[in-house]
Amino acid sequence: MRARYPDVEGFVERGGLKVGYEVFGEGEPAVVFVPIDPIVQSRAWKAQVPYFARRHRVVTIDPRGNGRSDRPTDPAQCGDINFVEDTVAVMDAVGLDQAVLIGLCGSAWHALAIASFYPDRVLGVVSIGTNVPFLTPPLPYKPGPRFNEELDNYEGWDKVNRHYWLNDWRGFAEFFFDQLLPEPHSTKQWEDTVGWAVDIGAETLLTLQEGSTLSASKEDSEKVLQSVRCPVLTIHGDDDRCQPISRSERVAEITGGSHLRLVGAGHLPQAREPVVVNHAIRDFLRQFEPPVRRQVVRPPNRPRRVLF
C-alpha cells in the first residue's frame, strides 16, 4: 500500500538503459526529486510525495540501478553526468521547463550540478545530507583507499570494501543503514532501506562506483557551486555518520543559500524527521509560488451605506 499512487508512470531511455519516473499531482512550482544514490530507490521520498503532491506537480525518478530503472552492466552507463542528464531527460519527457530540485547525499550534488549546467531549468535547490566531493574533509572513520584492498577482517566502516560487498552484501547493507539511521525507533526505515539495497546487489553497485565523476578536486567542486545562481537550502543532521555537516554549511556559504541544522538527526532526515523537513521545503517553495490574485466585488443590488 502507498499513501499516494502516481498519476503518470513512464520511462526515458538513455545509453541503452531505461530510467523509470513517476508523476504526482498538479501545481506550481513543480518539484523534482533527483535520482537518489542507487543503493535505494525513489520510494525513499515516500514521506514527502503525498504531502507536496497536494499543491505541486511532483516528479520522482528511480536511479539507474534500482527501482523500476534498468541495472547497468557497463561503467560507461554510470557516473555523475548520467544522473544529471537522466533528470533533465525526465523533465523534458513530462514537459517541465523549470522546477525546484531536491536531492539527498550524492543526488544533492547532482541537483547542484544541474543548477550550474542548466540554470534556466532550475528555480531552486534543496540539498539534504550534502555530499559534494572534496569540498571538506571526510569523516575520519570512513575508509578511503582501503576499498579495493583484501583485509584480514572487516569491522565497522571497513565493510565499505569491494571484497566484503561480494562476500556479504546483506551484511554491509544492514551495517550501513544502521549507521545512517542512528535515531531510536528507526526499524521501519531500516527495513525499507536494507530491502532496497538487497534488491540491487553488490555487482550492480560496484559497476556504478566505476562511473566517471564531475569533480576530481576541491577546486572543481567549488567551481561548480560558484556558478549556481538560484536559491539554495541545505539541510543536515548533526549526527550524520555518512557526510560531515561541514559540507552542507560550505555549500550554503558558497551559493549564498540558507542552512538548517537538525539536532540529533542522522543521514536520512527526510525519513526520520519528515514533518520538520517537509515544512522547511514548504517554506522554501513559497518564494516560487505564483501570486494569489484576489478581487473583491460589491454585489450590484447592495444598498450604499456610510461607515462612521
Side-chain angles (χ1 to χ4, degrees):
M1 294 291 293
R2 299 172 66 169
R4 173 72 187 256
Y5 284 89
D7 301 311
V8 177
E9 296 178 281
F11 294 92
V12 295
E13 185 169 339
R14 294 189 56 258
L17 286 183
K18 290 194 302 182
V19 173
Y21 65 84
E22 297 179 334
V23 184
F24 309 78
E26 289 292 340
E28 299 297 334
V31 176
V32 174
F33 289 95
V34 177
I36 206 165
D37 299 58
I39 197 169
V40 296
Q41 56 172 274
S42 62
R43 292 277 286 135
W45 299 110
K46 65 180 181 177
Q48 284 66 54
V49 168
Y51 179 77
F52 289 106
R54 297 174 186 171
R55 297 188 59 180
H56 302 273
R57 192 178 189 194
V58 174
V59 180
T60 62
I61 307 170
D62 279 327
R64 46 180 65 207
N66 210 320
R68 295 169 58 242
S69 295
D70 287 344
R71 278 49 173 164
T73 57
D74 182 349
Q77 298 172 316
C78 309
D80 291 333
I81 194 63
N82 276 311
F83 288 98
V84 167
E85 297 299 337
D86 286 348
T87 304
V88 176
V90 169
M91 290 177 66
D92 290 342
V94 301
L96 284 183
D97 294 328
Q98 290 184 312
V100 173
L101 306 186
I102 303 177
L104 169 70
C105 193
S107 68
W109 167 232
H110 298 149
L112 291 160
I114 296 166
S116 173
F117 302 155
Y118 297 93
D120 295 338
R121 307 296 299 272
V122 182
L123 294 169
V125 173
V126 179
S127 174
I128 304 172
T130 314
N131 177 18
V132 175
F134 309 107
L135 192 60
T136 63
L139 293 168
Y141 49 78
K142 292 189 68 176
R146 292 162 60 88
F147 179 75
N148 290 308
E149 295 180 16
E150 194 163 358
L151 307 178
D152 292 333
N153 59 72
Y154 300 92
E155 297 297 327
W157 282 96
D158 280 336
K159 289 181 170 64
V160 184
N161 177 279
R162 172 187 299 273
H163 304 282
Y164 185 80
W165 285 10
L166 291 171
N167 184 59
D168 187 4
W169 174 246
R170 185 179 184 90
F172 162 73
E174 292 179 350
F175 163 80
F176 184 63
F177 287 109
D178 186 60
Q179 295 298 306
L180 267 56
L181 293 160
E183 300 93 335
H185 313 297
S186 297
T187 304
K188 174 56 178 169
Q189 292 82 5
W190 183 86
E191 289 176 347
D192 285 343
T193 49
V194 170
W196 295 328
V198 170
D199 280 346
I200 184 176
E203 292 80 2
T204 299
L205 195 59
L206 284 169
T207 301
L208 287 157
Q209 294 269 357
E210 296 173 4
S212 59
T213 63
L214 290 171
S215 174
S217 67
K218 179 180 178 181
E219 291 71 25
D220 287 346
S221 296
E222 289 181 342
K223 185 176 180 180
V224 171
L225 295 174
Q226 287 163 359
S227 64
V228 174
R229 294 291 177 261
C230 65
V232 172
L233 169 65
T234 65
I235 301 173
H236 213 117
D238 65 2
D239 195 17
D240 189 327
R241 303 176 189 180
C242 182
Q243 299 301 326
I245 194 171
S246 59
R247 292 191 172 175
S248 282
E249 293 169 338
R250 182 65 177 141
V251 168
E253 180 183 358
I254 293 175
T255 63
S258 302
H259 174 66
L260 175 61
R261 181 189 188 99
L262 300 181
V263 177
H267 187 62
L268 304 177
Q270 89 290 349
R272 288 301 291 120
E273 299 291 343
V275 174
V276 175
V277 170
N278 289 356
H279 286 182
I281 296 172
R282 175 201 63 190
D283 294 344
F284 181 77
L285 292 175
R286 282 176 175 161
Q287 64 189 299
F288 309 108
E289 292 178 358
V292 177
R293 302 184 65 179
R294 293 184 175 90
Q295 184 176 8
V296 179
V297 179
R298 183 175 64 86
N301 298 324
R302 180 176 178 180
R304 295 179 182 276
R305 294 181 180 179
V306 178
L307 300 180
F308 295 96

